[in-house]
Amino acid sequence: MPAGRIAIIGCGRLGATLARAFDAAGLTVQAVASRRPEIAQALARQLKACVAVSAGQALQGADLVFLCVPDDAIAAQCAQLPWQAGQAVVHCSGATELSALAAARAAGAAVGGFHPLQIFSDPELALQRLPGCSVGIEAESPGLLAVLHELAGRLGLRPLALRPGQRAAYHGAASYAASFLLSMLDEARQVWGEALGFTPEQTLQALLPLARSTLEAAERRGLAAAQAGPISRGDAGVLAAHLQALDALGGEHGEFYREFSRRQLELAREAGRLGEAELQALARAIGASR
């Protein structure tokens, strides 16, 4: 089955970005729909030969429908629409199973998932950075699976095959490379604010280049080889000093650091640069049992 005529229901940051990406790739986005008609109309004006309509009208003549609504709304939205046999519907949730599209399946539509691994908080930046990203793909029919792989290729995305029951683990783990990075930066912001009096702006200005360098090193060398800092060097004294200072601040600062240090210790073991005595000394410093 070809991708054919595409409709997008949900014109938030993800839906709007995909619509623009499909349009730029020469694909036919014939209709867009949103709970807020003015949002759909503004998006339609940016696309070639696209109209803003209601969700039900968006299905008329569409071969492939993308449901880009919030996860908790997918099943309810799907159940309200007049699906036809031969159509295909795809949701863009990372965590939601395809069972949320049961109403479309019961009407004879093919169902699938298409989840780009990208942050859409800044749609313009997301659109620029889509090429080269990965996309989680799942489909119950070989025909739809082939279409989703074709779409990934047209957008320059790298497909990741997902199977039933895997989506929550897939999406949960991806959070560590996404918003959980913000949690770590926020921890640094709190520590520097409490201990040093630095402002959040100073913290980000100082640490974002460091974070970028770390990610670039991981891309070039892999996680274990990119490791830096006292654990990578076997410097148990510095590690102990860090923990003493963080424990003195109270709260969960020390335990937060200990948990990440335990994971760092595993990377140091994998890197193979330290001897067993050094690894044991580091484990004692962070209270890890081995």
Side-chain angles (χ1 to χ4, degrees):
M1 59 182 292
R5 296 159 297 185
I6 297 172
I8 294 180
I9 298 174
C11 298
R13 294 176 294 191
L14 169 60
T17 301
L18 283 181
R20 293 173 62 192
F22 290 149
D23 187 70
L27 297 160
T28 302
V29 182
Q30 70 167 22
V32 293
S34 171
R35 290 177 299 175
R36 298 174 58 189
E38 69 276 12
I39 299 296
Q41 291 163 6
L43 176 59
R45 286 193 292 268
Q46 300 178 54
L47 309 176
K48 296 183 287 290
C50 181
V51 295
V53 294
S54 70
Q57 291 170 329
L59 268 61
Q60 297 175 13
D63 300 300
L64 177 59
V65 180
F66 279 79
L67 281 185
C68 299
V69 299
D71 289 35
D72 290 345
I74 291 173
Q77 178 72 81
C78 182
Q80 294 171 6
L81 295 173
W83 301 104
Q84 298 177 10
Q87 284 183 319
V89 56
V90 173
H91 72 53
C92 294
S93 165
T96 302
E97 293 291 330
L98 300 190
S99 57
L101 303 175
R105 183 197 297 122
V111 300
F114 190 87
H115 177 253
L117 278 169
Q118 178 58 266
I119 296 295
F120 292 90
S121 53
D122 184 333
E124 291 298 329
L125 191 59
L127 186 62
Q128 295 173 26
R129 294 186 173 177
L130 267 182
C133 292
S134 294
V135 57
I137 289 178
E138 183 181 1
E140 294 182 350
S141 73
L144 179 55
L145 187 63
V147 167
L148 297 183
H149 276 268
E150 177 194 349
L151 290 180
R154 296 285 289 269
L155 299 187
L157 301 173
R158 300 187 179 100
L160 294 174
L162 299 179
R163 297 192 299 275
Q166 294 183 329
R167 302 185 74 88
Y170 151 80
H171 193 252
S175 298
Y176 289 102
S179 292
F180 284 0
L181 292 176
L182 304 180
S183 301
M184 287 184 280
L185 288 171
D186 183 60
E187 174 66 11
R189 176 189 65 82
Q190 291 185 40
V191 171
W192 278 17
E194 294 175 29
L196 309 175
F198 289 177
T199 67
E201 292 75 17
Q202 286 176 304
T203 299
L204 283 180
Q205 187 178 44
L207 296 185
L208 284 178
L210 182 61
R212 292 189 191 103
S213 296
T214 300
L215 292 175
E216 289 168 2
E219 185 176 26
R220 290 195 306 269
R221 307 184 61 195
L223 298 179
Q227 190 181 35
I231 293 178
S232 71
R233 300 189 298 268
D235 199 336
V238 170
L239 187 60
H242 287 179
L243 286 166
Q244 183 177 8
L246 293 171
D247 285 337
L249 291 176
E252 297 179 343
H253 296 303
E255 189 51 43
F256 194 92
Y257 188 93
R258 280 184 178 85
E259 184 56 41
F260 281 99
S261 294
R262 293 181 185 107
R263 300 303 182 94
Q264 288 282 304
L265 188 58
E266 296 303 317
L267 283 177
R269 185 178 293 277
E270 181 182 333
R273 293 192 295 265
L274 302 179
E276 187 59 32
E278 292 171 302
L279 292 168
Q280 291 292 342
L282 290 167
R284 286 193 295 273
I286 62 176
S289 60
R290 296 202 63 81

